[in-house]
Structures are given as structure tokens and as C-alpha cells.
Amino acid sequence: MAELVPFAVPTGSDKTLLVWELSSGPTAEALQHSLFTVFSQFGLLYSVRVFPNAAVAGPGFYAIVKFYSARDAHRAQKACDQKQLFQKSPVKIRLGTQHKAVQHNALALNSSRCQELANYYFGFNGWSKRIIKLQDLSDPEEERENEDIVAPLQRQSLKFFCALEVVLPSYECRSPGVGMAEEPLDNLEEGPLSLLIKRKKTQKLAIQKAMADAFQKLQIVVLESGKIAVAYRCCEEITDARTEEELQDLIQVSCFSWKPCGQGEEECLSDFSFEEEEFTVPLD
């Protein structure tokens, strides 16, 4: 059966492993590195988090490992449960049990995570981005001069709009995205170098947001054979930010030709998840 892998923060217990009976000898950082090395052999990992045991459970650690793919998580659980892995005693692994009072929508990945996921499934050279428009929307200088002199200086800011598309040549797919970024200007910060740095930072952030927006319209379809396809989900609101000429080249489809799964290597926002999983370590 095919599995859909969206460009979103993975949720659900079928993508999460609970690992316990980890040795108390190594540090949490060392355990995290060892766990990442072991489980990344089975698929791309979203996160590896290591926690000390509760006092009643005795010394040691447990870990929560999140995969993007439920199939990868299942394979890892079957292959590694009751194995020593990197320590002298075996570890225990099970698919996580998730308890949530409120069901939340999946959170979008930031651009850095999107690129990591795209590189893994499409290959480092299997996709690209094409910037269509990068526009400065900051207040023109003449407008600032006409502002009331008592207006707070903090109102001045740099603002950029970006429209781009993510291109997947092997799948004949183009996904459009838009993003806007704003950076306040501190009036005490005068000088061309400081302004140039802020302009570059704001431009980069607008591009990152547009890229993440473009990836949200794509879903990776993974077959049991390891081959993949791409599903494109049209978003009507994107058309308002594009001219008719720019939209002529966009191809909107559901699925494309198959290609063997490829892996590759890897900007700068953090993912914030407001969902927390509650796991209970079984008592023997």
C-alpha cells in the first residue's frame, strides 16, 4: 500500500518510537547521537529526544524517536527491539501511544526541513527553486518624510515579498509559493552596512517562507517497492499573488511517473510544536 508523506511535522503514534532501558553510563547527548546513527539507517528522522527516567524507574534514560514515514518506523521497531544496538544490554522499543485532549492540525515544516525531506526522497539534484519575483515593499523614503514627526520611529521597517516555484523536473511538476517578511528598523541603527545586512536577512526570510509555502502543496507518495510519485494539491489563494502570464507555465496534476527512491544531503527557522505526546514506559 502506498504511503503519503506530507511536508509537515510528523504526528501520530505510528511514526513515533518509544525506546527504553537505555544505559545510565553515557550522557544524554551521547545517547542521542548513538540513537540517531542507528535509526537513521531505516529512514529520515524528524527528531530524537532523550530523557532521564523517572525516579521510580531507577537510573537510565528513555528516548522518543520520530520518523517522517510510518513504514520506516515499523521497520525500525521490528529490527531493533530486544537488540543491544550500541550498549551491552538490549533495549526495548515499541510504537508510541499518544494521548491528546485536543486534536491539532499538522504544523507546516520550515524551509530547512522541507529541503532536507526533498533531498532525501528526490535527491539533491532532483528539485530546484525558481524565484519569479522578489519585491521590496518597504515604505518609500518620500512617504517617510511626509509622516507626522511625532509618529513612533519603530513604524519604519523593511518588507519584502517573494513569489517562487519549486520545480521537480523528473515529475514534470511545478509548485508555486509566496512569502512575505518584515524587519523593523531601529532608528539608532544608522549606517549603510547595518541596513544592507537587514535587507539581506529580510530577503532571505521572504524566500524561505515562499519555499515552505510551495512545498506545502506537495505530498510524497511512497510505494512498497521503494519507488515514489508526487501528488500536487492546488491552493486557490496562491493565484491571487501571481500574474496570468506567470501561471501559464504551472502544471497542476495529481500524480506523476514513478522513480526509484533517492537520497541526498541538505536556511533558518525553528519548528514549534504545540502538541506533546505522553508516553508511559511499561513496568516489567
Side-chain angles (χ1 to χ4, degrees), residues 24-36:
S24 59
T27 63
E29 291 77 14
L31 286 172
Q32 184 180 37
H33 176 76
S34 298
L35 288 166
F36 183 89

Side-chain angles (χ1 to χ4, degrees), residues 3 5 14-15 67-75 95:
E3 178 184 7
V5 180
D14 60 342
K15 298 180 180 181
F67 285 82
Y68 285 96
S69 163
R71 187 176 300 159
D72 293 343
H74 278 266
R75 289 194 302 111
L95 290 170

